Amino acid sequence: MQDAREHPIPALTGVRAEVLDCVQSNLAVLADHFRGAGTHLRLGSKLSSRWWPGADGLPTVDPPVEEELAEAQRALGLAVGERTTANGAQLDEPALAPGEIRYALADAHEMPWLPYFGQQHMEHSFLLIAPGSADGPWTVVDAYDNDTQWGAAKPGSWSVTRAELAALRRIDLYEITARPEPPARPEPRIDHAPMADYLAALDQAADRERALHRLTGDTWLLARSRRLHALFAADGSPLDEPTARHLADWDKLVTQAYVTYRRVVRGRPEPAGTVARLAELLEADRRIFPAPAAAPAPDPGGLRDRIARVVGAVLDADQALLRTGDVDLAALPGFTSFRMVDLIDRLEAQLDIELDADDLVPENLRSMDGLCRIVRSATGAR
C-alpha cells in the first residue's frame, strides 16, 4: 500500500463522481491515485441490466458489493485484499500504521459528513486514513456526489474525531493496492438480461410507497451506469446525438420516478406510466448500446439446433436467430405462458428427457440460453 504520508490525501480532482454510485466513487479515487487521471472511467466498460432479489422481498438492480469489487479488480487493475470488520471504537487502538489508507464500507446513517446522517440507512463507501500521530484525527475522503432531500452530498475530505469514528458501529475495511502491471483497456461487456419479472414485481407490488422508493433508487443507478458506459465508449470524444438523447431520457425518468414516489408519500394518487417508461428505456438500451456479437457457443450433438427447431415451431420465431445468440423469448410476438407449457412438453417428448422441476423458473424459460442450459443439464451434455 502506498504510504499516505507521501500522498497524504488521494486527489478528488477529475473523478466523474456524478456518474458513479456510492460504492464505485471511492474505488474511482483509488484507481486514479494509482493509475492516473481518468482511469476510473474504465468502470463503465461493463453495462448491465441484471437484477437481484432484495433483502426486503423486492428486486433491485443495485449489485452486491462483492460484484462491484470484482469489477474494480477486472477493469481497473486493483487488488482487493481480504475484508476485516471492526467498529469505530476499536480503531482508537493502533490498528493501522500512521497514514495508512483503507477502503471502508459502513452505514451512511452514522456518517456526519453526509446528508444521510441520522436520516437514512444505506451501505456507503469512503476512504479512511489513519492519523499521523497518536492523538491526531482520522481523515475521511469521500467522492460521492448526489443531491438528496436532506441536502447535497459533495466530494471532499474531512477530519473525523475519535468520538465520531466510534459512532460507526460496523466498518468493513479493505486494503486495496495496484497490481504490478497496468491493465489493458478492458473490452466492453454488455449484458441485456431479461427484465420482465423485475418490472412486473415493481409494477404489481401492493406496498406502492416501498416499491416506488426502490424504483426511484434503481432508475438513478441505471441512469448513472448508462452515462458512465457512454463516457467510457466515447473515450474522450463527444457523445453522438442518439446516445445523448437517450441519456437525457434516462435523466427525465429519474425525475419522473422521484416525483411519482413523493406524490404517493404525500397520500396522493400514483401517476401512471413510470414502470412502462422504464421498460421502454431498457428496450431502447439494446439499440443504443448493442451487445458485441458473441462467438457461437459449443453445441454438443447439435443440441441447441434441436432446441431452436422446437422453440421456433412453438413460438413462430426465426430459428437462425435462436441458434446463434441469446434471445429474450418473452419479447417474441408468439410468447405466452400457455405456449411455454406446450414448449416444455414438446422439448421433453422430442428429446426424451425430463426437465428438473427446480429449473423451470422464469429466468430459464424466458431465455434461449437458459433453455439450452437446463436441457443440457437434463441430458448430461456439457
Side-chain angles (χ1 to χ4, degrees):
M1 188 80 182
Q2 292 195 27
D3 194 326
R5 288 169 293 188
E6 298 176 12
H7 304 274
I9 298 178
L12 297 170
T13 306
V15 174
R16 296 294 299 268
E18 79 279 5
V19 299
L20 302 168
D21 67 33
C22 63
V23 173
Q24 293 172 325
S25 55
N26 294 299
L27 293 170
V29 175
L30 291 175
D32 284 13
H33 180 61
F34 291 132
R35 299 296 190 194
T39 301
H40 68 281
L41 292 178
R42 295 182 176 190
L43 286 169
S45 62
K46 181 179 179 181
L47 180 71
S48 174
S49 299
R50 290 184 58 200
W51 59 272
W52 290 263
D56 60 356
L58 288 174
T60 180
V61 301
D62 191 8
V65 168
E66 294 75 15
E67 294 233 358
E68 298 208 68
L69 293 176
E71 186 61 18
Q73 294 188 88
R74 181 195 74 87
L76 303 177
L78 299 179
V80 180
E82 292 295 319
R83 181 185 69 192
T84 59
T85 300
N87 61 55
Q90 289 172 324
L91 293 177
D92 193 34
E93 303 169 4
L96 302 179
E100 274 197 281
I101 303 173
R102 289 293 185 270
Y103 177 84
L105 291 161
D107 186 351
H109 191 271
E110 300 166 356
M111 299 179 185
W113 63 91
L114 289 176
Y116 301 110
F117 181 59
Q119 300 289 347
Q120 182 173 329
H121 295 281
M122 57 179 280
E123 192 164 48
H124 186 83
S125 79
F126 58 97
L127 301 182
L128 184 63
I129 304 176
S133 62
D135 57 351
W138 292 75
T139 300
V140 161
V141 173
D142 191 349
Y144 186 59
D145 188 347
N146 187 32
D147 289 326
T148 81
Q149 66 194 82
W150 305 288
K154 292 298 178 184
S157 61
W158 296 265
S159 292
V160 178
T161 67
R162 294 173 187 273
E164 289 171 330
L165 193 62
L168 298 175
R169 288 174 289 182
R170 175 194 169 102
I171 312 175
D172 289 334
L173 299 169
Y174 299 83
E175 182 177 10
I176 296 183
T177 57
R179 290 181 174 171
E181 295 298 323
R185 177 178 167 83
E187 293 295 322
R189 298 174 64 187
I190 299 178
D191 178 16
H192 294 306
M195 297 291 282
D197 290 343
Y198 165 84
L199 294 165
L202 292 182
D203 196 34
Q204 299 167 14
D207 187 338
R208 298 312 299 158
E209 182 175 329
R210 190 163 61 91
L212 291 169
H213 184 265
R214 174 60 46 78
L215 187 64
T216 299
D218 280 5
T219 54
W220 181 89
L221 288 167
L222 289 165
R224 287 201 168 198
S225 67
R226 271 93 187 119
R227 190 168 293 277
L228 176 61
H229 177 73
L231 290 173
F232 167 80
D235 197 18
S237 299
L239 300 180
D240 61 73
E241 186 177 345
T243 299
R245 284 201 308 268
H246 184 61
L247 295 176
D249 288 341
W250 270 108
D251 291 341
K252 291 175 185 175
L253 178 62
V254 172
T255 300
Q256 179 182 347
Y258 182 66
V259 169
T260 300
Y261 165 65
R262 294 297 297 171
R263 284 182 64 84
V264 170
V265 167
R266 293 186 176 101
R268 297 180 180 179
E270 177 183 343
T274 306
V275 175
R277 184 57 178 150
L278 174 56
E280 291 172 0
L281 290 183
L282 288 170
E283 186 59 33
D285 278 346
R286 297 173 181 267
R287 182 182 71 257
I288 300 297
F289 307 119
D299 188 13
L303 190 58
R304 187 183 187 96
D305 184 66
R306 297 168 69 188
I307 297 169
R309 286 200 296 270
V310 176
V311 174
V314 174
L315 300 184
D316 192 23
D318 183 351
Q319 294 183 28
L321 177 63
L322 295 170
R323 291 188 190 98
T324 58
D326 194 16
V327 176
D328 181 359
L329 301 181
L332 297 175
F335 180 90
T336 67
S337 57
F338 295 105
R339 286 194 176 184
M340 286 307 298
V341 174
D342 184 25
L343 175 59
I344 293 167
D345 290 344
R346 289 203 202 183
L347 284 173
E348 291 183 324
Q350 294 189 26
L351 301 178
D352 192 24
I353 59 172
E354 182 174 348
L355 296 172
D356 190 323
D358 290 340
D359 288 338
L360 300 179
V361 293
E363 54 264 35
N364 289 332
L365 300 180
R366 298 187 176 196
S367 158
M368 185 63 188
D369 281 358
L371 272 182
C372 291
R373 183 169 54 251
I374 64 174
V375 169
R376 288 193 186 104
S377 176
T379 61
R382 295 290 183 265

